[in-house]
């Protein structure tokens, strides 16, 4: 209803400056949704909706709340101005003094109207994407699954190309649309083949059929070929792996991440993956164990779960090795994401209580760490000023207004400009690399421990080695920030003291960084939540 009313108000207004108001309205909508989910959790434990097309369980409701919270934090980027100018800078004398010290008046960007504050439909499209993601996490039927994932995907395609004046953004959004459409074809083909063999689209019905497949010696249930069902699920899985940019279907994500504006990349890189992984977790629960247990011959030992394991292995290798050659920050983050998807798929493949707990914990902590990294990257862009010599060095960068920070060497000596922001980025990057005692270390440790307990020795060794390799390009960012002697650091520091980040960015980054840093002191709440969700999914 809130989305409908916002759609109607968007249609009748002519003032483009109301986009900030709409984003704040969107945040209020999401906060109310969080309250509603808390209320529903107290009333019912699990319930089927619309004839079994959707279901609400403890797992889905918890991730609904998490999804709403992450989306509300991202919407802050378009709901409030990113920086404030101190009064002492307003006077012409002070401004002229700073201009003389910095050397170029064009390097001072005061009250600059960023593009995201001019787009009236921004928050509306995000609400449509969130609606599709929420429905996908609650889907218990192949039809509702496909409709939900397309609702989410169409919004993401539009969001990627919503910056109409950016040729680079349009190019990246078109690439995303074409390859996203191809992945939807795989999902639709796999769903059709699955329906052809089982004559049902309900996940509950498929669960019953896979339980019966091959379980009778008299051939009564041989009409349901478990190998045929496996092939259908593998084809469907290819589409999902395209959507989450897992190797070997990752080739589109570095180009798209780098082309679209950084604020849009924040949303595409995080929320588009959470809903798909939750659906994959439930799909594996409905089909994986039974098909694996009912394999009657060596020819049937390769199940669709093994395809996830193969993708996990390739993602770990590709994300770590190809990231070493990157000097563009968002492409580096894209390969980092591919590497972390390898850990998530490994936890998903093992399919034990410990691995499900590790999967849930890893997905939550990575979403938070990734959000913090992009918020800091955007904040650096808002507090980033070029001297005359630096302008000549970076003048050929495309779409500088929407993505100010594009190269890793643009952050040279940033510690001397804003040491607190640089320290927050360092903590987040160390968490990505799995440095103890940060949040990312415990997430990787849980996944690797579950893999060892289940006998996955080889891929565990690969995961450890690739984690060490990926630390190289993480440390390269740290080197640029701290170990570069900036000759103009005093001038930039004085300017930065006059123009500072807004409170919403400062508070959000501080809270997320503290959550990553002090997890070791308060681990019980996170671990207990992941444990309860894993036990609930396993019906224990």
């Amino acid at each position: 209803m809130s989305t409908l009313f916002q759609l109607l108000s968007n249609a009748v207004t002519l003032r483009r400056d109301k986009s900030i108001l709409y984003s704040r309205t969107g945040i209020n909508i999401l906060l109310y949704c969080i309250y509603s989910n808390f209320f529903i959790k107290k009333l019912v434990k699990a319930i089927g909706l619309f004839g079994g097309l959707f279901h609400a369980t403890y797992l889905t409701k918890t991730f609904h709340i998490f999804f709403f919270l992450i989306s509300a934090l991202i919407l802050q980027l378009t709901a409030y101005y990113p920086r404030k100018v101190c009064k002492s800078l307003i006077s012409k004398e002070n401004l002229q003094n700073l201009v003389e010290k910095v050397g170029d008046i064009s390097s001072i960007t005061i009250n600059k109207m960023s593009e995201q504050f001019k787009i009236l439909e921004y928050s509306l499209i995000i609400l449509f994407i969130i609606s599709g993601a929420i429905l996908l996490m609650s889907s218990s039927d192949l039809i509702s699954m496909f409709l939900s994932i397309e609702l989410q995907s169409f919004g993401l395609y539009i969001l990627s190309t919503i910056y109409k004046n950016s040729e680079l953004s349009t190019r990246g959004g078109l690439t995303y649309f074409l390859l996203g459409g191809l992945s939807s074809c795989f999902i639709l083909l796999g769903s059709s083949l699955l329906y052809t063999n089982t004559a049902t689209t309900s996940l509950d019905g498929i669960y019953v059929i896979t339980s019966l497949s091959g379980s009778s010696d008299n051939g009564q249930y041989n009409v349901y070929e478990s190998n045929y069902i496996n092939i259908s699920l593998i084809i469907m899985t290819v589409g999902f792996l395209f959507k989450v940019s897992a190797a070997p279907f990752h080739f589109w994500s570095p180009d798209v991440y780098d082309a679209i504006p950084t604020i849009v990349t924040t949303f595409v890189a995080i929320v588009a993956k959470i809903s798909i992984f939750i659906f994959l977790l439930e799909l594996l629960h409905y089909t994986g164990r039974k098909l694996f247990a009912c394999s009657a011959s060596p020819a049937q030992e390769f199940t669709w779960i093994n395809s996830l394991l193969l993708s996990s292995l390739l993602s770990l290798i590709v994300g770590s090795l190809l990231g070493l050659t990157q000097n563009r920050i968002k492409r580096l983050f894209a390969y980092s994401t591919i590497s972390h998807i390898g850990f998530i798929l490994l936890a998903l493949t093992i399919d034990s209580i410990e691995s499900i707990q590790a999967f849930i914990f890893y997905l939550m902590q990575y979403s938070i760490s990734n959000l913090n990294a992009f918020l800091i990257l955007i904040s650096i862009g808002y507090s980033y000023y070029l001297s005359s010599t630096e302008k000549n060095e970076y003048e050929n960068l495309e779409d500088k207004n929407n993505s100010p920070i594009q190269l890793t060497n643009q952050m040279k000596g940033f510690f001397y400009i804003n040491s607190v922001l640089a320290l927050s980025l360092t903590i987040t990057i160390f968490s990505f690399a799995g440095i103890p005692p940060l949040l990312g270390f415990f997430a990787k440790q849980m996944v690797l421990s579950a893999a060892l307990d289940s006998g996955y020795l080889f891929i565990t060794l690969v995961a450890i080695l690739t984690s060490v390799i990926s630390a190289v390009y993480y440390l390269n960012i740290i080197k640029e920030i701290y170990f570069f002697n900036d000759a103009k650091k005093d001038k930039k520091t004085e300017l930065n003291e006059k123009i500072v980040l807004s409170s919403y960015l400062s508070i959000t980054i501080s809270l997320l960084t503290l959550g990553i840093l002090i997890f070791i002191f308060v681990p019980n709440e996170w671990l207990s939540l992941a444990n309860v969700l894993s036990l609930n999914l396993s019906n224990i």
Side-chain angles (χ1 to χ4, degrees):
M1 289 180 63
S2 302
T3 306
L4 177 61
F5 282 124
Q6 192 173 48
L7 177 63
L8 294 175
S9 60
N10 269 332
V12 299
T13 187
L14 295 177
R15 293 182 57 185
R16 310 305 294 179
D17 57 348
K18 286 188 176 180
S19 60
I20 295 179
L21 178 61
Y22 282 128
S23 295
R24 295 177 183 180
T25 305
I27 293 176
N28 291 328
I29 293 171
L30 296 177
L31 293 178
Y32 176 75
C33 291
I34 293 175
Y35 168 77
S36 300
N37 272 270
F38 272 117
F39 183 70
I40 293 173
K41 283 176 68 175
K42 294 180 180 179
L43 289 180
V44 292
K45 181 179 179 181
I47 188 173
L49 304 170
F50 301 107
L53 291 177
F54 300 96
H55 64 265
T57 63
Y58 193 84
L59 176 70
T60 60
K61 287 180 287 187
T62 301
F63 269 95
H64 286 177
I65 295 172
F66 180 73
F67 197 90
F68 289 138
L69 181 60
I70 292 292
S71 302
L73 293 177
I74 295 176
L75 266 178
Q76 286 185 337
L77 294 171
T78 54
Y80 303 96
Y81 288 109
R83 58 190 168 203
K84 55 186 177 181
V85 182
C86 295
K87 293 181 179 180
S88 59
L89 188 60
I90 301 300
S91 64
K92 293 183 179 180
E93 293 79 7
N94 291 332
L95 181 59
Q96 185 62 34
N97 291 334
L98 283 173
V99 170
E100 292 175 356
K101 291 181 179 180
V102 176
D104 188 359
I105 191 170
S106 62
S107 65
I108 303 178
T109 53
I110 303 173
N111 293 330
K112 180 180 177 181
M113 190 65 170
S114 299
E115 186 71 19
Q116 70 268 21
F117 300 115
K118 303 177 184 178
I119 303 174
L120 197 64
E121 304 84 5
Y122 195 94
S123 60
L124 179 64
I125 294 173
I126 285 183
L127 289 178
F128 272 110
I129 297 172
I130 293 171
S131 300
I134 294 302
L135 293 175
L136 178 60
M137 284 190 280
S138 300
S139 295
S140 58
D141 193 279
L142 296 179
I143 296 175
S144 60
M145 175 273 298
F146 184 76
L147 294 177
S148 301
I149 199 170
E150 288 308 292
L151 176 60
Q152 171 184 292
S153 299
F154 287 158
L156 289 171
Y157 304 150
I158 298 173
L159 189 67
S160 299
T161 57
I162 201 170
Y163 286 65
K164 302 174 184 178
N165 298 327
S166 173
E167 180 183 350
L168 195 63
S169 174
T170 305
R171 187 193 316 160
L174 184 60
T175 303
Y176 191 21
F177 167 69
L178 293 175
L179 294 177
L182 177 63
S183 64
S184 298
C185 292
F186 280 101
I187 295 175
L188 187 60
L189 176 60
S191 302
S192 303
L193 293 176
L194 200 59
Y195 173 73
T196 301
N197 186 252
T198 61
T200 181
T201 57
S202 172
L203 293 184
D204 289 325
I206 295 174
Y207 177 81
V208 174
I209 290 172
T210 54
S211 300
L212 297 175
S213 298
S215 61
S216 177
D217 295 332
N218 58 16
Q220 182 179 357
Y221 304 114
N222 284 343
V223 64
Y224 301 114
E225 295 287 346
S226 59
N227 194 37
Y228 191 93
I229 298 174
N230 264 318
I231 295 174
S232 304
L233 289 170
I234 289 174
I235 295 175
M236 187 190 302
T237 303
V238 169
F240 286 120
L241 294 178
F242 253 110
K243 297 285 187 183
V244 299
S245 68
F249 313 107
H250 65 283
F251 45 85
W252 61 270
S253 61
D255 295 331
V256 172
Y257 283 20
D258 193 38
I260 60 180
T262 306
I263 290 181
V264 179
T265 310
T266 305
F267 198 84
V268 173
I270 300 173
V271 301
K273 296 176 175 56
I274 298 175
S275 57
I276 295 177
F277 276 124
I278 295 303
F279 179 79
L280 279 176
L281 176 63
E282 296 191 338
L283 182 64
L284 184 141
H285 177 70
Y286 277 108
T287 61
R289 293 179 183 172
K290 294 299 179 181
L291 282 174
F292 185 78
C294 296
S295 296
S297 64
Q300 293 180 341
E301 288 182 358
F302 187 84
T303 68
W304 78 280
I305 304 178
N306 299 113
S307 65
L308 293 178
L309 186 62
L310 178 62
S311 178
S312 171
L313 178 63
L314 293 176
S315 297
L316 290 169
I317 296 173
V318 169
S320 299
L321 296 182
L322 296 187
L324 296 174
T325 62
Q326 303 304 316
N327 64 346
R328 300 185 66 86
I329 186 67
K330 285 195 291 182
R331 290 182 67 90
L332 191 149
F333 278 175
Y335 284 109
S336 171
T337 298
I338 294 170
S339 177
H340 287 284
I341 286 174
F343 278 93
I344 295 174
L345 289 175
L346 176 59
L348 185 65
T349 302
I350 300 169
D351 195 22
S352 63
I353 296 177
E354 292 79 10
S355 68
I356 294 174
Q357 181 181 358
F359 168 83
I360 294 172
F361 182 77
Y362 202 107
L363 185 60
M364 284 186 168
Q365 72 84 23
Y366 177 68
S367 300
I368 292 174
S369 300
N370 210 17
L371 173 61
N372 196 39
F374 275 105
L375 286 177
I376 295 173
L377 186 63
I378 292 171
S379 302
I380 291 175
Y382 284 126
S383 58
Y384 182 73
Y385 307 99
L386 294 175
S387 63
S388 300
T389 56
E390 291 171 329
K391 279 182 175 296
N392 296 328
E393 184 179 355
Y394 303 121
E395 63 181 359
N396 294 325
L397 293 178
E398 295 184 85
D399 208 17
K400 295 188 291 292
N401 292 334
N402 298 322
S403 298
I405 304 297
Q406 298 182 24
L407 305 176
T408 54
N409 58 11
Q410 284 182 273
M411 294 187 288
K412 287 181 178 179
F414 186 76
F415 174 74
Y416 303 105
I417 301 175
N418 192 325
S419 57
V420 177
L421 204 58
L423 183 61
S424 298
L425 181 60
T426 303
I427 293 172
T428 305
I429 289 177
F430 280 163
S431 180
F432 281 156
I435 304 298
L438 302 177
L439 192 60
F441 166 77
F442 293 99
K444 288 186 177 182
Q445 185 268 337
M446 290 174 66
V447 174
L448 296 177
S449 177
L452 282 177
D453 291 342
S454 300
Y456 293 87
L457 179 60
F458 174 74
I459 196 170
T460 302
L461 293 176
V462 172
I464 295 173
L465 290 176
T466 53
S467 294
V468 175
I469 294 173
S470 62
V472 175
Y473 56 74
Y474 291 134
L475 293 176
N476 183 54
I477 301 177
I478 305 299
K479 182 193 73 173
E480 297 286 354
I481 295 174
Y482 288 91
F483 301 101
F484 181 81
N485 187 16
D486 191 352
K488 298 182 181 298
K489 62 184 179 181
D490 294 331
K491 301 175 183 179
K492 291 185 176 182
T493 302
E494 184 177 353
L495 179 60
N496 190 72
E497 290 175 353
K498 302 297 182 180
I499 304 177
V500 296
L501 295 176
S502 293
S503 300
Y504 89 91
L505 266 178
S506 303
I507 294 173
T508 303
I509 292 173
S510 300
L511 292 177
L512 292 176
T513 305
L514 284 175
I516 296 171
L517 183 61
I518 66 173
F519 167 78
I520 190 173
F521 299 107
V522 284
N524 294 334
E525 289 75 11
W526 282 62
L527 296 178
S528 298
L529 176 62
N531 190 33
V532 168
L533 292 177
S534 62
L535 293 175
N536 182 268
L537 184 65
S538 302
N539 296 321
I540 294 180

